[in-house]
Every structure is written in C-alpha cells, then in structure tokens.
Amino acid sequence: GRFGEAALPALTVALDNDDILVRYNACLALSGAGTSAISALGKALEDTEPIVRQAVLYALAMIHPRTPATLEIIRNASQDPSSSVREAAWIAISQYEETLLRLPLPNAEWKFHLDQERVGTDEQWYEVGFDDSDWADIGIGRAWGEFGYTGYIGVGWYRRTISVPENPGATDAVLWFEGVDECAWVWINGQYAGEHDIGPAGWDIPFRIDVTDLIRWGEDNQITVRAMNTVAAGGIWQPVTLHATRVAP
C-alpha cells in the first residue's frame, strides 16, 4: 500500500484471493493508491463477506481528493444488507460530508389517510395542490398504531408542508429517515424522490432520499410519504431530518 498507485495491479488481484483477510487488507491498502483505486474498491463492495465491504468503506473514506462520485458509492453502501456495513457507511459519510444545515422535520401536524384500496398513487395524492383538508391529523416519530390505528396492516399516506431556509451553500440535500415500518415512497413538491422498499426487513433500517434537485430553498416545500407495512406497527416511527451538505475539504 505504501507504493501508492504502483501497487494497484497487485492489490486488485488480491481482491479475488480466497483468504478473507487477504481481501480485507488489500482493500485497506488500496487507499494508498488514491482515486485510481476507486473503481476496484467499488467492485469490492460486491464481496460476499461483510468485513471486506467494511474495509472498502474505511478505504474510501481515506482517499483524497474527495469527489462527489466517491461519496455516491459510500451512500449506496448505507443500504447494505449487513448492519455492520451500514454502520461503516454512515461513519464514512459523516467524515466525507460537511453538514451545513440539519433541519429536523416537525413531529406534529402531519395529515394522514389510510389507503386500503391502494388508489393513492393513481389518484395522485402526492400532488402539491391535492386537497387533504379532510384527512386526519397525525404525528411522526411514533408508529401509526399509537395514533389510533393499532393493528392496521396496509398503506397509509403522510403529507406536510415545511418551511426551508435559504441554501447555506450546500451542493447536496437529502432526507434522512431513521425508520419507517416497513416501506416508504417519497415525493417532494409533487415530484417523485425515491423509495425504501426491501420488505419487512426494512422496518428499522435508516435510509436517505436524495432531494437535491427537488428542494426549493427559501420556500415552503410539500412532502408526501406513502408508507406500507405487512406486519406489526407501521408508519414513520422514527425522526426525519433534512441535511444540506457538501463534500468536505
């Protein structure tokens, strides 16, 4: 690894070694090759062993200069099936990004409606001008069962408008969901932003939705979340935060 880029061919070969510790150490050593190693490390994130994927993230976090493309690889790893890899990804993200704004979304005054017939998407319940005045009031940060929907299994929709300050100089904006039981689909200002849909296993997995191109700085923004559970409590049971960031120097 101390040979830098000159070691790249040998270390790339080592990524296919049968010994897990050889692969692990090859990943760490690749950080010395700088940005030339990013492609090989990206492929190493497909390794079947979580400890090797962890090493990839440690290496990516050490590589300079930092680039948005590398950050995107790290962000994708935050959805890894392994909790230890996801934790390593979050640590790498925190080192890689400079957070300029952290805006917790309000826990109260959300509008909520059950969608037992699953017609909400077709009827565009996510539109900015959609009339949700007859919807129930609900909060987030607790399962919908704690708001009178105990035992409900299916789809429920959340809507709220939030005020967003002027851009503090960020190049990226993401919504951090700390937990939705169990799946979620998100719209910002009527535009589809992304989803977290890995089935029942996703109920306690934090996830990020990139809203960089959808957020309106210095304005009110309408947020819609379609949540679905197939077992247990349901809903946006953990906090949601808007993060405005840029790649750290």
Side-chain angles (χ1 to χ4, degrees), residues 167-189:
N167 190 341
T171 56
D172 298 278
V174 296
L175 282 176
W176 284 19
F177 288 79
E178 295 185 31
V180 177
D181 185 16
E182 58 205 46
C183 304
W185 296 261
V186 182
W187 289 261
I188 304 294
N189 298 316

Side-chain angles (χ1 to χ4, degrees), residues 89-108:
W90 288 112
I91 292 172
I93 289 170
S94 67
Q95 294 176 346
Y96 212 92
E97 289 182 336
E98 179 182 4
T99 300
L100 303 180
L101 172 71
R102 184 181 181 277
L103 179 66
L105 271 57
N107 286 333

Side-chain angles (χ1 to χ4, degrees), residues 93-144:
I93 289 170
S94 67
Q95 294 176 346
Y96 212 92
E97 289 182 336
E98 179 182 4
T99 300
L100 303 180
L101 172 71
R102 184 181 181 277
L103 179 66
L105 271 57
N107 286 333
E109 299 182 355
W110 288 74
K111 305 299 288 186
F112 181 74
H113 196 66
L114 301 182
D115 188 7
Q116 294 168 305
E117 304 300 325
R118 304 196 180 189
V119 298
T121 303
D122 290 338
E123 295 182 0
Q124 301 181 340
W125 292 2
Y126 52 80
E127 287 288 351
V128 174
F130 179 80
D131 184 6
D132 59 17
S133 58
D134 63 344
W135 285 22
D137 295 322
I138 200 171
I140 64 171
R142 292 184 289 159
W144 61 39

Side-chain angles (χ1 to χ4, degrees), residues 15-39:
L15 293 175
D16 293 323
N17 194 279
D18 290 338
D19 190 318
I20 183 176
L21 291 180
V22 172
R23 302 200 304 276
Y24 175 88
N25 284 293
C27 290
L28 294 179
L30 276 167
S31 64
T35 54
S36 299
I38 291 173
S39 176

Side-chain angles (χ1 to χ4, degrees), residues 27-233:
C27 290
L28 294 179
L30 276 167
S31 64
T35 54
S36 299
I38 291 173
S39 176
L41 287 167
K43 292 179 181 177
L45 276 174
E46 300 173 3
D47 196 284
T48 58
E49 295 292 342
I51 192 173
V52 176
R53 302 199 297 276
Q54 281 182 276
V56 170
L57 294 164
Y58 299 149
L60 289 172
M62 290 187 286
I63 289 176
H64 288 78
R66 291 173 165 166
T67 68
T70 308
L71 178 57
E72 186 61 24
I73 294 173
I74 298 172
R75 284 177 175 169
N76 290 338
S78 68
Q79 303 301 308
D80 193 277
S82 166
S83 61
S84 60
V85 178
R86 294 196 302 272
E87 182 178 354
W90 288 112
I91 292 172
I93 289 170
S94 67
Q95 294 176 346
Y96 212 92
E97 289 182 336
E98 179 182 4
T99 300
L100 303 180
L101 172 71
R102 184 181 181 277
L103 179 66
L105 271 57
N107 286 333
E109 299 182 355
W110 288 74
K111 305 299 288 186
F112 181 74
H113 196 66
L114 301 182
D115 188 7
Q116 294 168 305
E117 304 300 325
R118 304 196 180 189
V119 298
T121 303
D122 290 338
E123 295 182 0
Q124 301 181 340
W125 292 2
Y126 52 80
E127 287 288 351
V128 174
F130 179 80
D131 184 6
D132 59 17
S133 58
D134 63 344
W135 285 22
D137 295 322
I138 200 171
I140 64 171
R142 292 184 289 159
W144 61 39
E146 298 188 40
F147 293 93
Y149 302 94
T150 304
Y152 175 69
I153 300 297
V155 175
W157 289 70
Y158 295 79
R159 288 174 55 90
R160 200 189 196 288
T161 297
I162 65 167
S163 179
V164 176
E166 295 291 343
N167 190 341
T171 56
D172 298 278
V174 296
L175 282 176
W176 284 19
F177 288 79
E178 295 185 31
V180 177
D181 185 16
E182 58 205 46
C183 304
W185 296 261
V186 182
W187 289 261
I188 304 294
N189 298 316
Q191 300 297 309
Y192 185 66
E195 65 189 51
H196 171 68
D197 182 16
I198 61 174
W203 75 276
D204 64 343
I205 296 177
F207 61 95
R208 307 160 56 107
I209 300 293
D210 189 336
V211 297
T212 302
D213 297 328
L214 302 177
I215 206 76
R216 298 172 183 167
W217 295 103
E219 301 180 25
D220 288 342
N221 287 254
Q222 200 284 321
I223 298 174
T224 300
V225 180
R226 177 184 186 265
M228 182 184 74
N229 73 334
T230 57
V231 293

